[in-house]
Amino acid sequence: MHSRIAVTMGDPAGIGPELCLRLIDTPLDRGVRLVIVGSGSVLRAVAERLGIADAMAAIPIVGSADPASVTAAWSTSGTVPLIVDLGPDAERVRAGAVDAETGRASFEYVERAIELALGGVVDAVVTGPIHKEAWHAAGVPYPGHTELFSERTGAQRTCMMLTSEAITCSLVTTHIGLADVARAIDSERIRTVIELTGHAMQRLRGRPPRLGVCGLNPHAGEHGLFGYGEEERVIEPALAAARTAGWNVEGPLSADTAFTPDQRRRFDAY
């Protein structure tokens, strides 16, 4: 059975085109089928500048992200990656420049990829790097991918998880200023992130995960010495509720010692 993955190119003026070309040129598992949603013109131009134009020669290009068009193209492309070309033309793109046009384009790539996923054409979406300032310049009302995916999928509960082989962290807040964080957290939100992280890690690890929750203030507040008692008022009630629900969770952890090698071996995620 094939795994069908949509990859968005990211901002055409950024590093995304190079990343997509590297992906095209990388041997993948035979069960993986890719569709890159971006600009065929930009990919061709970047490939020529890098001297790897041959990598693009056999790649089918589709001019529409309509699910029927993508499905039909896949039926004849085999395991070769597929490119959905939504523009802009390479001549309109200035590499490294923050521009409303490329911001709008990168936003459209994500929207079309989400539609392919919701329509069952692809199983997952991988997003290339965007420039949030370019999104703002284009009038896009979302501060980042997380908020866009949350709204478009109609998900009642979401959080951002950053994961690698070495460490996994989920964020209670996203895309707000540091000065706003203390006002943005509450026990319900923290418990939601604990539960979402727990379910995700259980699927990835195949066993009940061990979770660590960081405090907000230096040294986890030192019982009110730093901050305004957020650990006691907000974080600890969330931990208590999570433990009652059966999660193996510890905290609030002092952030200056939470991520030492020994601690990282103790926890599956933070």
Side-chain angles (χ1 to χ4, degrees):
M1 182 176 179
H2 292 293
S3 295
R4 303 161 302 172
I5 302 173
V7 180
T8 64
M9 194 181 76
D11 195 299
I15 195 70
E18 284 94 332
L19 294 176
C20 289
L21 289 169
R22 172 67 64 86
L23 187 60
I24 289 172
D25 204 35
T26 299
L28 299 175
D29 185 274
R30 291 178 62 86
V32 176
R33 304 184 75 175
L34 297 179
V35 53
I36 295 173
V37 185
S39 166
S41 173
V42 170
L43 288 170
R44 284 192 297 268
V46 173
E48 289 176 3
R49 287 201 298 269
L50 296 176
I52 56 171
D54 289 347
M56 288 282 294
I59 306 300
I61 296 180
V62 182
S64 169
D66 175 76
S69 299
V70 174
T71 301
W74 250 339
S75 68
T76 59
S77 66
T79 58
V80 175
L82 185 68
I83 294 174
V84 171
D85 183 10
L86 301 180
D89 188 83
E91 294 181 357
R92 300 175 62 88
V93 176
R94 294 180 298 128
V98 177
D99 183 83
E101 183 176 4
T102 59
R104 171 58 61 179
S106 66
F107 175 69
E108 184 179 359
Y109 304 156
V110 183
E111 285 212 301
R112 299 292 85 77
I114 291 173
E115 290 174 2
L116 291 174
L118 293 177
V121 179
V122 299
D123 304 304
V125 176
V126 176
T127 57
I130 62 169
H131 199 298
K132 295 176 175 60
E133 187 179 344
W135 273 25
H136 181 74
V140 173
Y142 304 95
H145 285 113
T146 308
E147 295 79 7
L148 173 59
F149 272 87
S150 296
E151 181 176 300
R152 289 292 189 268
T153 59
Q156 297 300 309
R157 305 194 309 167
T158 63
C159 73
M160 179 189 294
M161 172 187 283
L162 310 174
T163 188
S164 72
E165 291 297 323
I167 191 170
T168 295
C169 294
S170 292
L171 311 183
V172 174
T173 63
T174 54
H175 302 137
I176 61 174
L178 185 59
D180 300 322
V181 171
R183 293 188 295 272
I185 63 172
D186 57 46
S187 295
E188 182 178 356
R189 173 60 182 168
I190 294 170
R191 181 180 174 182
T192 293
V193 175
I194 290 172
E195 292 177 347
L196 289 171
T197 304
H199 289 305
M201 296 310 295
Q202 189 150 1
R203 291 176 63 187
L204 291 172
R205 297 284 191 264
R207 58 170 171 76
R210 300 159 300 178
L211 307 176
V213 177
C214 289
L216 174 70
N217 297 293
H219 306 288
E222 294 279 14
H223 299 100
L225 183 61
F226 307 121
Y228 297 94
E230 289 87 357
E231 282 74 18
E232 290 77 16
R233 293 187 297 103
V234 180
I235 300 175
E236 290 182 0
L239 297 177
R243 293 187 189 106
T244 299
W247 295 108
N248 180 358
V249 60
E250 294 185 28
L253 305 174
S254 177
D256 62 344
T257 57
F259 302 100
T260 63
D262 284 343
Q263 289 282 64
R264 292 204 303 273
R265 283 190 286 270
R266 291 184 59 227
F267 298 115
D268 295 300
Y270 293 88

